[in-house]
């Protein structure tokens, strides 16, 4: 592991100097909370300029379209959202957390604090221009530049234990990165990522007590608990209904604090397309303590939003407008389908709705997505009245 000179600790709420406040947006207006959640797209459907600073927020409940000029997101990847913040990567995959309401950006520890990433050379002002990356499957080193930063070395999912605006010293960020998908986390005040070695994971979620639950590749659950001295892991083996491989699997906390597992299978023709979805709940036997996944056919009137963003479950009382109850809204998170500049014009994104009661899958894209909006992935963005205040 290489620790670089400009590594900065994850700020605490008292550590204001580590954050960046971007210039006010020229046409910035708050997004109506009543219209949340939104599908966030790069660009403006009415303009064909991919270099423009315009980003589109499409309301799922109302269908309203809000366009905002956000220069701070230009030339960056947004790879997900949580608690009304957006996780972004710059052109060398350096991660940060960005608040589109306030313009505040919180840097996360450098990607070079993760094994296999090394600085190749810098400018005269010590800014980084190139990294070197060691491929996990060949142990070969390759040049890592801003032209190919969206390859297999980036962070694929980032979540937080709480909203950064209300964070205390218990604030934790967890991430899935690299290929195969490894787990890293960092706590407030730490300057480098902590790596969980020799394990691969599908998905992550935080519990209300600050512990982290990770879905291991063979569907065991690993529970990470943190204290001042470090962390310890409880591994929970679970009987599975079958061993069929699903390339996309998501963890969701239900209204009672239980754990749901959503499994998403893809069919391939010209592009990835969702072909099968399974929804399971973790059931614990009161007598034996045995655990198993049980199929369910409804969400008690609620609705889910899944993708690269932190998983979101709206309870029945929060389902409104055009949001369909007992449905799962999927955004595209097929990382292998990453186009280069020549292919983006023809790129398709698998955004769809799965109805649990009817067992049907329908495309979801009220707006025609412009070719330059296919990358970064469109993501779900949600803000509650509490977060807006």
């Amino acid at each position: 592991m290489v620790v670089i000179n400009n590594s900065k600790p994850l700020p605490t709420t008292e550590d204001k100097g580590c954050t960046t406040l971007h210039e006010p947006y020229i046409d910035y207006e708050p997004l109506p909370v009543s219209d949340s959640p939104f599908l966030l797209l790069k660009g403006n459907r009415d303009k064909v300029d991919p270099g423009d600073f315009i980003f589109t927020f499409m309301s799922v409940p109302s269908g309203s379209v809000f366009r905002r000029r956000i220069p701070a997101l230009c030339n960056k990847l947004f790879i997900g959202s949580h608690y009304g913040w957006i996780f972004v990567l710059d052109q060398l995959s350096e991660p940060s957390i960005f608040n589109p309401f306030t313009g505040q950006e919180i840097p996360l520890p450098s990607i070079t604090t993760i094994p296999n990433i090394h600085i190749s050379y810098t400018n005269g002002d010590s800014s980084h221009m190139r990294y070197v990356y060691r491929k996990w499957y060949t142990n070969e080193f390759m040049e890592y530049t801003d032209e190919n930063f969206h390859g297999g070395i980036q962070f694929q999912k980032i979540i937080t234990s709480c909203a950064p605006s209300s964070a205390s010293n218990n604030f934790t960020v967890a991430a899935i990165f690299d290929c195969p998908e490894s787990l890293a986390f960092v706590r407030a005040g730490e300057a480098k990522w902590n790596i969980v070695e020799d394990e691969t994971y599908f998905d992550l979620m935080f519990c209300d007590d600050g512990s982290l639950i990770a879905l291991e590749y063979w569907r065991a659950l690993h529970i990470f608990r943190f204290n001042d001295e470090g962390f310890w892991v409880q591994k929970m083996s679970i009987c599975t209904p079958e061993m069929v491989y699903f390339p996309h699997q998501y963890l969701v906390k239900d209204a009672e604090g239980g754990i749901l597992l959503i499994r998403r299978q893809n069919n391939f023709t010209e592009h990835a397309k969702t072909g099968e979805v399974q929804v399971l709940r973790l059931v614990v036997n009161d007598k034996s303590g045995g655990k198993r996944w049980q199929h369910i056919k409804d969400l008690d009137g609620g609705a889910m939003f899944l993708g690269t963003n932190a998983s979101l479950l709206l309870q029945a009382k929060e389902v409104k407008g055009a949001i369909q109850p007992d449905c799962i809204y999927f955004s595209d998170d097929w990382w292998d389908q990453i186009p280069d500049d020549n292919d983006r014009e023809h790129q398709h994104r698998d955004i769809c709705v799965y109805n649990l009661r009817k067992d049907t899958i329908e495309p979801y894209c009220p707006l025609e997505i412009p070719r330059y909006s296919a990358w970064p992935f469109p993501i779900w963005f949600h803000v509650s009245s509490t977060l807006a205040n």
Side-chain angles (χ1 to χ4, degrees), residues 115-260:
N116 298 351
I117 305 292
H118 303 269
I119 299 172
S120 176
Y121 67 85
T122 64
N123 280 333
D125 61 0
S126 297
S127 63
H128 301 157
M129 291 297 294
R130 294 290 186 272
Y131 291 163
V132 170
Y133 169 65
R134 187 177 66 189
K135 297 181 181 179
W136 67 272
Y137 47 88
T138 65
N139 280 328
E140 296 177 352
F141 285 86
M142 73 174 197
E143 188 87 326
Y144 170 34
T145 71
D146 56 3
E147 287 82 19
N148 59 17
F149 77 108
H150 59 276
I153 53 181
Q154 63 182 2
F155 293 90
Q156 298 181 17
K157 190 165 193 173
I158 303 177
I159 61 173
T160 66
S161 60
C162 58
S165 56
S166 62
S168 68
N169 288 338
N170 293 323
F171 173 49
T172 305
V173 175
I176 293 177
F177 72 96
D178 210 339
C179 181
E181 291 76 4
S182 302
L183 171 61
F185 67 88
V186 61
R187 292 167 293 184
E190 294 182 332
K192 63 180 182 180
W193 292 96
N194 302 283
I195 311 301
V196 178
E197 298 180 349
D198 302 323
E199 300 286 358
T200 55
Y201 296 95
F202 274 113
D203 200 17
L204 311 167
M205 79 173 197
F206 277 105
C207 300
D208 292 338
D209 63 1
S211 60
L212 175 69
I213 298 181
L215 177 64
E216 190 262 343
Y217 249 52
W218 298 106
R219 290 180 292 284
L221 291 180
H222 293 181
I223 305 174
F224 295 81
R225 305 185 189 279
F226 306 96
N227 59 24
D228 293 338
E229 298 178 355
F231 70 96
W232 68 97
V233 184
Q234 174 188 354
K235 297 185 177 182
M236 182 187 303
S237 298
I238 304 171
C239 295
T240 56
E242 63 278 311
M243 293 300 292
V244 177
Y245 176 76
F246 280 66
H248 302 275
Q249 304 196 39
Y250 313 87
L251 291 176
V252 184
K253 181 175 62 176
D254 67 16
E256 288 75 37
I259 300 175
L260 301 179

Side-chain angles (χ1 to χ4, degrees), residues 25-27 41-44 47 49-57 67-75:
Y25 314 129
I26 294 175
D27 56 359
L41 308 169
K42 178 183 178 182
N44 182 344
K47 299 181 69 175
D49 180 9
D52 197 58
F53 295 156
I54 300 297
F55 293 81
T56 297
F57 293 80
R67 296 185 174 91
R68 298 291 182 264
R69 182 178 181 270
I70 312 178
L73 287 182
C74 190
N75 297 321

Side-chain angles (χ1 to χ4, degrees), residues 71-129:
L73 287 182
C74 190
N75 297 321
K76 291 186 178 181
L77 298 183
F78 44 80
I79 63 167
S81 66
H82 202 182
Y83 292 111
W85 291 67
I86 300 173
F87 302 105
V88 298
L89 304 176
D90 71 8
Q91 292 186 325
L92 286 173
S93 280
E94 294 290 6
S96 61
I97 314 175
F98 177 72
N99 189 322
F101 289 94
T102 64
Q104 184 183 17
E105 185 171 15
I106 302 175
L108 296 174
S110 172
I111 192 173
T112 56
T113 66
I114 288 177
N116 298 351
I117 305 292
H118 303 269
I119 299 172
S120 176
Y121 67 85
T122 64
N123 280 333
D125 61 0
S126 297
S127 63
H128 301 157
M129 291 297 294

